[in-house]
Structure formats: structure tokens, C-alpha cells
Amino acid sequence: KSMPPHEFAREFLSWWDDPGADAVFGPGAWDYTATDYPDPMDFQPEALGVAVAIDQKSSAIVGCGFRIIDDHQIPAVKVLAAGPGEGWLVETASRFSGELRAPVVMAKDGPASHLVESMKKACRGRFKTPTFPQYLDSCAELYVAVSSGNFQHGDQSELNEAVANAEKLDKGDRWVWRRRGAVDISPLEACTLALWGASHWQRSAADERMQDGGPAVMSV
């Protein structure tokens, strides 16, 4: 238990450095962080990451919240929706946002850029577009969380496949995700945005009242 997941896998489980999840997070790290969430789930997503495939043929919504494991709070993610096209994305994400009282996080540039204004309007203030440096930070934050074992995911095929077909694209002395081959990695990108939103979004009581259509200051 004292060893990092990738070191334990290399030393005791004979993991190979094949392309896939091992290539982006280290041998065994992604599998180590897979878990079966209880039903009902014992955490609520605090942010929703939304991403569209580069060819715009599919989209994904991933929620990120926090679980208490051995007295430690760790981020946990779950794919809430994934499917072909993008016509369903704004309506579905805004509905989840309202039901969960969680902000939607999208990249303002890239395949989903044309949906930013309509998503912002539909989410009624529960909406965030990180800057590019912030997205670089979110990629690094996800990498550190997974490779250190301080992370959980629901072992869902959509996210597993995205991770297995992703690689790192250098941006100066930083990097971002890119797909390896033709497989869609929008679930991984949505996961990355959701983690950033859950870790950095600060909601006040006034925010909640305005987002629900009420005044910023309650009368007494």
C-alpha cells in the first residue's frame, strides 16, 4: 500500500509499457483507480465537463465530485452521458446542471466552440470556460491525481477507451491530450474539465440565488 500504483504494478504485476492507459498515466495507474461506486452513489458531482470529438461525431458529459476514502477526500468521476453527434449536448448538460446544481465547464476554443453561447444561456450562470493555461493545469492535475492513486473512476467503457487511445501533445514545456488514431477521446477531455471545475469553482449563496433566478441578496 505504501508504493505508488505504477511502481507496484511494474515490480509485482509484470505490467508492460504497451501503448494505452499505461502510456499516459504509468503502468497500472488507471486500472488501480477504477472502482465500483455504491448504489446510490455516495457523492454528488460538483462540476460537469463537456467535450465534443474533433470530428464532431460524438460528445460526452462527465461529472466530478469528491469521495471520502480513509479520511481523505479524493476526486471521483463518472460518465453521465456519451453518444453520437452533438445536437443533444446543450439540453442534456443544462438539465444535469440544474438537477445537480453543478456548473458546466467547456473549452471555449476547439470542436465545441460554437456551442459556448447557447450552453452559457441554457445553464443560467452555471457555466465556466477555463483559459488555455488553466486547461494545461487541469491536464497536469488529472495526471498527478491518477498516477498517485488519489483518484477514482467508475470503470466505464467510454472513459476507459478514451484513456487507452490518448497521448500527450507537447505545448512548449507543458502538454495537452490528443487522440492516438481515430478513436474519440472526448470523455477524457470532459473528465479533465470536470476535475478542474470541481477543484476551482467557488460558489457562494448569492451565486446560487442568482443562478436560480432570484436576487443576489435575500431580504430579511
Side-chain angles (χ1 to χ4, degrees), residues 6-215:
H6 62 278
E7 183 179 351
F8 177 83
R10 184 178 63 250
E11 297 296 332
F12 294 98
L13 301 181
S14 301
W15 280 88
W16 294 83
D17 288 332
D18 292 333
D22 292 352
V24 292
F25 290 116
W30 183 253
D31 289 343
Y32 178 86
T33 57
T35 189
D36 290 325
Y37 292 139
D39 186 17
M41 282 171 40
D42 58 355
F43 74 95
Q44 176 171 312
E46 297 188 14
L48 310 177
V50 173
V52 175
I54 192 170
D55 57 9
Q56 299 182 328
K57 291 183 178 180
S58 55
S59 309
I61 304 171
V62 175
C64 180
F66 296 93
R67 300 186 72 202
I68 304 299
I69 306 296
D70 297 330
D71 296 325
H72 295 288
Q73 178 176 273
I74 66 170
V77 300
K78 182 178 182 180
V79 178
L80 301 180
E86 58 181 42
W88 56 273
L89 196 58
V90 172
E91 180 181 355
T92 304
S94 61
R95 175 169 54 83
F96 279 137
S97 177
E99 293 173 353
L100 298 171
R101 293 178 169 267
V104 168
V105 184
M106 288 178 63
K108 64 180 178 180
D109 300 313
S113 60
H114 62 291
L115 298 177
V116 167
E117 290 304 318
S118 56
M119 185 72 79
K120 181 178 181 180
K121 182 178 180 180
C123 292
R124 300 176 58 199
R126 294 191 182 97
F127 183 74
K128 188 72 172 176
T129 54
T131 64
F132 187 65
Q134 288 171 330
Y135 180 68
L136 291 172
D137 290 342
S138 68
C139 291
E141 288 170 4
L142 179 60
Y143 174 82
V144 170
V146 174
S147 60
S148 66
N150 295 313
F151 180 83
Q152 287 190 343
H153 63 90
D155 201 21
Q156 296 164 281
S157 59
E158 301 93 339
L159 186 53
N160 289 342
E161 186 176 5
V163 170
N165 287 278
E167 62 184 9
K168 299 173 183 176
L169 173 64
D170 290 339
K171 293 290 184 179
D173 58 353
R174 310 289 298 279
W175 56 267
V176 297
W177 304 119
R178 75 170 175 186
R179 64 178 184 171
R180 178 174 51 83
V183 176
D184 171 29
I185 64 166
S186 62
L188 174 59
E189 293 171 334
C191 171
T192 304
L193 292 165
L195 175 60
W196 182 86
S199 301
H200 298 282
W201 179 274
Q202 297 294 326
R203 291 183 293 176
S204 67
D207 290 332
E208 288 294 339
R209 290 192 292 275
M210 286 190 291
Q211 289 162 4
D212 290 332

